[in-house]
Amino acid sequence: MSLQKSSPKGWTRKDLVGLKDLGEDEINAVFKRAAQFQKNFSASASKLKGELAALLFLEPSTRTRMSFEVALTRMGGHALIFSAQASSLEKGETLLDTVKNLEAMGVRFFVLRNRENGVIEELAKRSSASFINAGDGTNEHPTQALLDLFTLKEAKGKIAGLKVVIVGDILHSRVARSNIFALKKLGAKVALCGPEEFLSPDLSALADETSDDLESALNHADAVLCLRIQRERLESELHFTAQNYFKNFGLTEERLRKHASSNCVVLHPGPINREVEIDSQLADGPRSLILKQVSNGVFIRMAVLSLLRLKRSRN
Ligand code: CP
């Protein structure tokens, strides 16, 4: 798999469907705008005045859906919450027809989470509205990776040259995939770690190291991105119990103190499963950036919405 490194300066896209094809300049354009909103919240006040955005979450979500809703509210836009179970999807209407009907009502932004890989990209091609991928199957979750890296850069002052270890269920993780794409574009060293059944050959090909031994993977780590086991995507029973998983791959303060760099920080996209992939002392302790990620998620989503709005206004 090859990754595009450069792109035209700034933002030129109608949609944000993934980070695989995004250039470093575009990632930095999002970071720059998010930092502006973080510094001066009122600067964002009417950036989306009068705009309608449909939030179509066809899989469960707390952080992503609510932070898009907060971002839209802060910017003077309107978030239209779509409930799949209460919609005509239940009567057999297609997702494309659903999008076309909402578009006919004046919706110009779609924030979509979907169980199948690639569907959001296809919808975006067939619509003049702007699409944001809020997670599609095991493919990508671009705004999550952008907020992860924005938070990491804020904590460390840089991304280039850092050793970032991604631990857990990499195979089923759209968060891991988007993070690996972006981390490599920004010059980080990426190490992947998990039980063999959770490792992904195509992502290992992009990483600098892959291991099923947590303690060696943590060696000289500057940051660890911890992932939960995506039980909803498993096709067969696991070969280990939650207790066994924690024993071999659970992140603890003691493990980090012994093996990682002294200032190693911990990220997790959430939801966290305490005492399965991470212990509570670490999740709630001084190394943890977990709630900072959530706060920054609002700024990143505001930045993405604002760049897409700017692009639309220039057409
Ligand atoms: N990180 C993340 O996508 O969380 P939610 O599933 O709660 O949106």
Side-chain angles (χ1 to χ4, degrees):
M1 198 188 303
S2 68
L3 292 179
Q4 183 181 325
K5 279 256 182 191
S6 62
S7 71
K9 197 138 189 85
W11 191 268
T12 57
R13 293 170 194 267
K14 171 176 92 62
D15 312 293
L16 175 62
V17 294
L19 300 186
K20 186 178 174 195
D21 297 323
L22 230 63
E24 195 180 341
D25 288 350
E26 289 167 297
I27 295 172
N28 284 326
V30 177
F31 289 174
K32 189 173 166 192
R33 191 155 284 245
Q36 284 164 355
F37 291 148
Q38 186 186 42
K39 203 167 153 192
N40 181 8
F41 209 66
S42 58
S44 65
S46 56
K47 290 264 189 273
L48 288 180
K49 194 163 186 287
E51 293 284 1
L52 301 176
L55 309 189
L56 280 77
F57 280 68
L58 309 184
E59 282 190 330
S61 169
T62 296
R63 279 147 292 275
T64 313
R65 188 170 73 83
M66 298 304 282
S67 67
F68 269 110
E69 197 173 341
V70 171
L72 280 152
T73 306
R74 297 279 191 215
M75 298 171 88
H78 298 280
L80 307 174
I81 308 296
F82 179 87
S83 161
Q85 288 79 12
S87 79
S88 290
L89 286 172
E90 289 288 305
K91 296 183 239 168
E93 189 166 33
T94 66
L95 198 48
L96 178 60
D97 282 332
T98 304
V99 162
K100 291 284 182 197
N101 278 267
L102 293 173
E103 221 184 313
M105 296 174 202
V107 172
R108 296 290 173 264
F109 296 88
F110 288 89
V111 180
L112 228 153
R113 173 171 288 187
N114 188 50
R115 199 169 292 279
E116 289 167 73
N117 294 12
V119 168
I120 298 166
E121 190 169 2
E122 283 312 307
L123 290 172
K125 283 182 194 157
R126 298 174 73 174
S127 165
S128 61
S130 288
F131 281 70
I132 300 173
N133 179 356
D136 63 330
T138 57
N139 182 34
E140 285 223 43
H141 191 350
T143 59
Q144 180 66 48
L146 288 168
L147 76 88
D148 294 340
L149 269 60
F150 181 79
T151 306
L152 180 59
K153 191 173 176 192
E154 188 177 55
K156 293 286 184 186
K158 62 175 188 176
I159 299 284
L162 295 180
K163 177 179 175 183
V164 181
V165 186
I166 304 180
V167 182
D169 182 1
I170 291 153
L171 183 66
H172 301 106
S173 175
R174 53 198 177 205
V175 174
R177 184 169 288 267
S178 288
N179 263 284
I180 293 165
F181 292 149
L183 283 164
K184 290 309 297 174
K185 284 167 199 270
L186 299 185
K189 200 173 151 207
V190 177
L192 306 181
C193 179
E196 212 165 300
E197 63 199 277
F198 283 168
L199 296 174
S200 151
D202 69 324
L203 293 180
S204 290
L206 293 177
D208 298 277
E209 292 172 30
T210 300
S211 166
D212 62 1
D213 179 64
L214 180 60
E215 290 172 0
S216 70
L218 288 177
N219 201 21
H220 300 303
D222 298 299
V224 185
L225 173 61
C226 184
L227 302 172
R228 75 181 172 92
I229 300 172
Q230 308 245 327
R231 292 191 183 275
E232 67 276 28
R233 300 190 207 288
L234 297 178
E235 284 169 6
S236 54
E237 284 296 305
L238 290 172
H239 293 112
F240 43 78
T241 61
Q243 287 85 349
N244 251 327
Y245 183 80
F246 185 67
K247 186 166 165 251
N248 292 313
F249 296 98
L251 286 181
T252 63
E253 176 57 39
E254 192 190 348
R255 272 190 160 140
L256 261 65
R257 198 171 42 239
K258 271 194 193 155
H259 302 284
S261 296
S262 57
N263 296 323
C264 181
V265 292
V266 176
L267 299 103
H268 192 309
I272 63 174
N273 289 300
R274 293 171 183 267
E275 281 46 81
V276 178
E277 71 265 8
I278 188 165
D279 80 353
S280 285
Q281 187 197 2
L282 185 60
D284 302 330
R287 293 182 194 273
S288 172
L289 300 179
I290 296 172
L291 289 178
K292 190 75 190 155
Q293 289 170 265
V294 177
S295 303
N296 285 339
V298 174
F299 302 123
I300 286 290
R301 283 153 184 150
M302 287 166 73
V304 170
L305 286 161
S306 138
L307 288 167
L308 295 177
R309 169 76 180 76
L310 204 62
K311 161 71 180 153
R312 297 184 66 77
S313 69
R314 284 181 180 150
N315 282 347

